[in-house]
């Protein structure tokens, strides 16, 4: 994967050494509970190495985007940037590299689930609301 540079921010594939930084970002953003998070991230990294990316500045993980591929679509499950809400361009850069990875896999599209507060971010990136609903069955 071509590394993307700009504003001293480098986008690259996530590695094991990034797991704590990714977990911190996701927890601070309120996307995940910290408890049991590292094993889940290890699973994602092992099974979708090309779709787990980080933004790095001065050797610090300042953003991440995580997804998986089901043979049809890439599912974008998590995206978070340091100082979330600051709109410093990190999320957009991460998504650009993520979409390139999804295209390279042959995916027909990217499906993202988002909080309403972040929907504007996805609209900016060209997402639309599909004619479908998102259903969840919780497992004990
Ligand atoms: C959503 C998030 C990843 C965006 O990261 P970011 O680094 O601020 O994004 P960018 O600065 O690259 O934004 C890209 C574009 O989207 C716009 N944008 C970003 N967040 C937005 C929002 N909440 N509403 C409307 N537009 C938004 C930016 O203004 C920018 O527009 P531009 O290209 O015209 O300048 C970040 O706010 C975040 O971590 N939020 C908390 C976690 C979250 O909600 N994740 C999404 C659900 S999984």
């Amino acid at each position: 994967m071509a590394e993307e540079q700009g504003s001293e921010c480098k986008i690259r594939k996530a590695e094991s050494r990034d797991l704590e930084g990714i977990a911190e970002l996701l927890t601070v953003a309120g996307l995940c509970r910290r408890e049991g998070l590292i094993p889940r991230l290890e699973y994602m990294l092992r099974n979708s190495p090309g779709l787990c990316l980080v933004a790095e500045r001065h050797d610090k993980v300042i953003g991440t985007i995580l997804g998986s591929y089901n043979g049809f679509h890439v599912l974008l499950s998590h995206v978070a940037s340091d100082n979330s809400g600051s709109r410093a361009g990190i999320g957009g850069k991460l998504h650009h590299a993520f979409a390139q990875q999804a295209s390279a896999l042959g995916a027909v599209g990217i499906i993202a689930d988002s909080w309403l507060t972040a929907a504007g971010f996805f609209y900016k990136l060209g997402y639309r609301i599909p004619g479908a609903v998102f259903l969840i069955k919780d497992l004990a």
Side-chain angles (χ1 to χ4, degrees):
M1 172 192 162
E3 288 183 345
E4 199 176 311
Q5 305 263 6
S7 311
E8 302 166 41
C9 160
K10 180 169 80 177
I11 308 295
R12 59 167 175 78
K13 288 184 186 175
E15 300 170 12
S16 302
R17 65 186 163 97
D18 301 315
L19 289 175
E20 286 294 338
I22 294 171
E24 178 72 11
L25 276 172
L26 298 180
T27 308
V28 169
L31 296 180
C32 298
R33 276 189 233 141
R34 191 67 176 77
E35 187 187 348
L37 182 53
I38 294 292
R40 293 187 189 282
L41 294 173
E42 283 172 337
Y43 181 91
M44 286 202 80
L45 199 53
R46 198 165 50 243
N47 289 284
S48 308
L51 293 168
C52 296
L53 309 180
V54 293
E56 181 183 60
R57 182 182 290 143
H58 306 314
D59 296 326
K60 183 173 187 281
V61 173
I62 58 167
T64 190
I65 189 165
L66 307 174
S68 58
Y69 181 44
N70 66 10
F72 294 87
H73 287 85
V74 160
L75 310 175
L76 193 178
S77 56
H78 302 82
V79 56
S81 60
D82 206 357
N83 303 319
S84 52
S86 66
R87 304 192 187 183
I90 299 163
K93 285 193 181 83
L94 279 164
H95 184 273
H96 179 71
F98 185 85
Q100 285 183 328
Q101 293 292 99
S103 292
L105 286 168
V108 297
I110 301 173
I111 296 174
D113 67 293
S114 170
W115 287 336
L116 280 178
T117 51
F121 169 71
F122 288 100
Y123 289 141
K124 274 277 166 141
L125 298 175
Y127 283 74
R128 60 182 169 81
I129 295 179
V133 293
F134 185 67
L135 303 173
I136 295 181
K137 176 170 173 52
D138 294 321
L139 300 174

